[in-house]
Amino acid sequence: METYFDHSATTYLRPEVTQVMNKYLEDEYGNPGSFHYKGLKAKLALGAAREKIAKIIGCDPSEIIFTGGGTESCNLAIKGLTKSKKKGHIITSSIEHHAVTDTCDYLERHEGFDVTYVGVDKDGIVDVEQVRKAIREDTILISIMYANNEIGTIQPIKEISEIAKDKGIVFHTDACQASGSLDIDVRNIGVDMMTLNASKIYGPKGVGLLYVRKGIRLVPLIHGGGQENNRRSGTENVPGIIGFAEALELAQAEKDSESARLKEIRDYLIKRVVDEIPESWLNGHAEKRLANNANITFLNIEGEAIILLMNEHEIYVSSGSACTSKTLDPSHVIVAMGMPYEAAHGSIRFTLGKRNTKKDVDKLMEVLPDIIEKLRGISPVHLKAEEIR
Amino acid sequence: MIEVKGTVHPDVKAKVDAKSWFYTDEVRDHFFNPKNILKTQKEATEYEAISDGVGEVGSPACGDMMKIWIKVDSDSDKIKECKWQTFGCASAIASTSIMSEMVIENGGMTITQALALKPHDIVERLHGLPARKFHCSVLGDKALSAAINNYFFKSGQKDRIIVSKGAEIVDKILKITDKDIEEAVLEGAHDFEAVQKKTKVGVQDKTCIPRVKELIEFYKDKYYG
């Protein structure tokens, strides 16, 4: 039996989603742009899905642009806005997903924009004061994530959006990790642009959206047939969007009960791991974190080796280790919290979801202490937590 | 091991067969059943007392650290035992493990043979490593050279001590030499980013970056002109 603790990477589809999608994969497969009934049916279904999502996030349906996923949405928000200006200043944080940091980095290197990366405190929370202080005359965009994908910390989005509003700066938030458990009504959180995707909430991969408040001008990144009000060309992913709407509706309806359930399992996992395995600790704020996220450092060993040994027991997790990244750099998120590299290499992310129960934690704890002990035994490194934290 | 069988889709040619894993079977074997390893801190301390030489490279901050202990038969100048410990990923563990086997098999390598061992030889015996994991084999090789040097020092053979295979140490923290830069260039890394990916040079010791860039240009000119 597999134990999947990697829900922040992606999720399985929930059956309700598969069911609604099937109809649009096999029967109502029309192109919404076609001038016949087959196309019209798809167009109507697409419109209904858009309205459903608009209602959930508290916006007008015309303020939603469907995209090919969270990464594309972040790119569209940041590049789309900056392309409409010649130059300017962007504020983002040091713990964003690469979809945001690499886009900002590109704009800085190749398009002449200035970027300020505001830091986080030792718990991985963005410092609102630093955001305020970073604002310049020419600041055109602030992009700060709602909840972090690695350490699960929930960011002070409302406070930042108030600052942005006050200064007349566009504020984008990447809310990909937030939609399963947090309030994503844009009227409540006050953001101007918001990225969401389906594949973290039991919806399909390759579908996302960007909410763009009316009046904000974006230059499209993809040109062609003029779909999505000329802002994102390409035939709409009708089954994906319908699945996305269904997944989002269910996730938001269940968010309080499911969060409470996951939190209990998460806290049980954290307690058992940290209590039973020496020289291990939780990364990120203890309370201001996603209900499903536990990120734990195991000192003196390296994350890839841990993952591969757990993999043999069909327990699936991820790591902030350099060895598992394409760049050979350890997690920029853990390092941004002021943790030394040593701590980042041995960090493991457990992200829970619908199929997990406390029994999965018990199964984990049958094997994890031995794995850690084995790897520590063969490691020539013998640091103590208090020496490096 | 979980068996992943069958094709992904009839139209997709790439077959995922039963033995499919992230690394080669050799890496897998040495990762799960490392040879010549010291399994605890206690074993390592005890062995150190009876070993003839010890070498250590890397640091936990870089994500790889290796320590190697050797026993040498002074009459034949052959390495009789090679024990090790590693902090690192599967390829780092496997690289050190297979190297320890190569060093002691067939009665043991002579010191001269051991010093001539190249990272490439280790990778070959592992039937390959992903390009970005190549530095793991470089570190294993370096730890062995360090252990041999330590043996020279402890046994009073001061005239045999070498600064790292007669090479210039560029990266002082990872002990990466000009030879490693040369090797990386020969393997197709033609700019600083690519060389760094292979060797991790300059990740910690940033002061060496200008020199590394110079060396890359030099070797590119030398081999590809």
Side-chain angles (χ1 to χ4, degrees), chain A residues 130-250:
Chain A
Q130 268 197 49
V131 175
R132 196 194 303 276
K133 280 182 193 148
I135 292 173
R136 307 191 325 204
E137 282 278 290
D138 62 341
T139 304
I140 51 171
L141 173 69
I142 300 174
S143 185
I144 310 264
M145 69 199 332
Y146 197 161
N148 182 267
N149 50 309
E150 287 186 38
I151 51 171
T153 48
I154 299 164
Q155 304 304 327
I157 293 307
K158 274 189 204 175
E159 290 168 74
I160 298 167
S161 68
E162 272 161 29
I163 296 172
K165 201 156 285 157
D166 190 42
K167 301 275 182 184
I169 300 165
V170 174
F171 178 37
H172 165 249
T173 193
D174 166 8
C176 287
Q177 297 290 343
S179 48
S181 56
L182 303 176
D183 180 7
I184 50 164
D185 188 319
V186 295
R187 292 165 303 189
N188 298 339
I189 57 175
V191 296
D192 300 305
M193 295 198 278
M194 177 168 73
T195 287
L196 289 177
N197 73 348
S199 66
K200 317 285 188 203
I201 48 169
Y202 314 101
K205 295 168 183 60
V207 197
L209 70 79
L210 181 67
Y211 154 75
V212 187
R213 189 171 52 74
K214 258 182 205 152
I216 294 174
R217 200 170 97 77
L218 289 189
V219 175
L221 305 184
I222 297 174
H223 298 87
Q227 287 86 349
E228 298 297 294
N229 250 331
N230 265 323
R231 292 178 296 185
R232 202 280 188 183
S233 288
T235 299
E236 300 88 342
N237 178 356
V238 177
I241 291 166
I242 284 165
F244 184 9
E246 182 73 14
L248 190 65
E249 186 177 45
L250 291 166

Side-chain angles (χ1 to χ4, degrees), chain A residues 341-360:
Chain A
Y341 279 30
E342 289 90 329
H345 290 301
S347 69
I348 294 289
R349 179 185 74 174
F350 305 87
T351 44
L352 316 179
K354 289 191 88 61
R355 290 182 185 167
N356 293 129
T357 63
K358 273 190 175 177
K359 279 191 182 144
D360 294 325

Side-chain angles (χ1 to χ4, degrees), chain A residues 174-325:
Chain A
D174 166 8
C176 287
Q177 297 290 343
S179 48
S181 56
L182 303 176
D183 180 7
I184 50 164
D185 188 319
V186 295
R187 292 165 303 189
N188 298 339
I189 57 175
V191 296
D192 300 305
M193 295 198 278
M194 177 168 73
T195 287
L196 289 177
N197 73 348
S199 66
K200 317 285 188 203
I201 48 169
Y202 314 101
K205 295 168 183 60
V207 197
L209 70 79
L210 181 67
Y211 154 75
V212 187
R213 189 171 52 74
K214 258 182 205 152
I216 294 174
R217 200 170 97 77
L218 289 189
V219 175
L221 305 184
I222 297 174
H223 298 87
Q227 287 86 349
E228 298 297 294
N229 250 331
N230 265 323
R231 292 178 296 185
R232 202 280 188 183
S233 288
T235 299
E236 300 88 342
N237 178 356
V238 177
I241 291 166
I242 284 165
F244 184 9
E246 182 73 14
L248 190 65
E249 186 177 45
L250 291 166
Q252 281 286 305
E254 290 171 1
K255 75 174 181 337
D256 294 339
S257 57
E258 182 63 0
S259 294
R261 190 187 77 87
L262 290 175
K263 212 175 144 194
E264 212 183 304
I265 307 171
R266 179 201 71 188
D267 291 343
Y268 177 61
L269 184 151
I270 295 170
K271 188 173 179 346
R272 284 207 61 186
V273 172
V274 173
D275 282 359
E276 293 173 35
I277 300 176
E279 308 301 326
S280 68
W281 67 79
L282 180 72
N283 291 311
H285 199 283
E287 281 95 40
K288 291 178 193 167
R289 70 186 305 127
L290 291 171
N292 75 334
N293 176 296
N295 186 306
I296 296 173
T297 285
F298 300 96
L299 201 56
N300 298 328
I301 47 178
E302 192 280 325
E304 189 207 89
I306 305 174
I307 291 184
L308 292 178
L309 289 177
M310 282 167 80
N311 179 56
E312 289 302 295
H313 298 277
E314 292 186 76
I315 299 174
Y316 305 127
V317 296
S318 68
S319 168
S321 155
C323 282
T324 59
S325 80

Side-chain angles (χ1 to χ4, degrees), chain B residues 181-196:
Chain B
I181 307 296
E182 182 177 13
E183 210 149 314
V185 171
L186 278 169
E187 277 167 13
H190 289 173
D191 58 27
F192 178 71
E193 275 78 25
V195 170
Q196 185 171 52

Side-chain angles (χ1 to χ4, degrees), chain B residues 13-53:
Chain B
K13 286 252 170 68
K15 262 198 172 171
V16 181
D17 65 31
K19 284 188 171 173
S20 182
W21 205 56
F22 313 95
Y23 297 110
T24 63
D25 288 352
E26 285 67 24
V27 175
R28 186 191 154 76
D29 182 40
H30 280 270
F31 172 61
F32 286 109
N33 305 296
K35 312 291 181 318
N36 304 312
I37 194 163
L38 298 174
K39 287 197 179 101
T40 61
Q41 194 180 352
K42 186 168 169 276
E43 274 186 34
T45 316
E46 285 169 9
Y47 193 81
E48 181 147 347
I50 55 161
S51 72
D52 297 323

Side-chain angles (χ1 to χ4, degrees), chain A residues 299-302 304-306 308-309 311-314 316 322-330 341-342 345-346 373-383, chain B residues 1-2 21-23 28 31-32 34 37-41 60-67 84-91 93 132-133 135 196-197 200 203:
Chain A
L299 201 56
N300 298 328
I301 47 178
E302 192 280 325
E304 189 207 89
I306 305 174
L308 292 178
L309 289 177
N311 179 56
E312 289 302 295
H313 298 277
E314 292 186 76
Y316 305 127
C323 282
T324 59
S325 80
K326 289 195 178 75
T327 52
L328 289 180
D329 292 323
Y341 279 30
E342 289 90 329
H345 290 301
E373 201 185 313
K374 180 181 171 190
L375 289 172
R376 280 186 178 154
I378 67 166
S379 169
V381 185
H382 312 289
L383 295 166
Chain B
M1 180 186 185
I2 304 145
W21 205 56
F22 313 95
Y23 297 110
R28 186 191 154 76
F31 172 61
F32 286 109
I37 194 163
L38 298 174
K39 287 197 179 101
T40 61
Q41 194 180 352
C62 324
D64 292 296
M65 182 165 156
M66 286 164 199
K67 205 166 174 181
W84 57 278
Q85 286 200 314
T86 288
F87 166 102
C89 59
S91 46
I93 289 172
R132 63 192 187 88
K133 299 282 190 177
H135 68 272
Q196 185 171 52
K197 261 186 196 163
K200 280 191 157 183
V203 169

Side-chain angles (χ1 to χ4, degrees), chain A residues 80-127:
Chain A
L81 186 87
T82 50
K83 271 184 193 293
S84 69
K85 330 245 175 197
K86 286 249 161 7
K87 55 181 182 177
H89 175 238
I90 303 165
I91 298 170
T92 186
S93 84
S94 52
I95 60 163
E96 297 297 307
H97 189 276
H98 286 297
V100 169
T101 47
D102 287 17
T103 305
C104 290
D105 183 59
Y106 167 81
L107 290 170
E108 191 172 33
R109 281 170 192 257
H110 303 288
E111 307 275 335
F113 289 87
D114 286 343
V115 182
T116 300
Y117 296 88
V118 297
V120 294
D121 62 16
K122 61 171 182 30
D123 290 323
I125 308 282
V126 170
D127 183 346

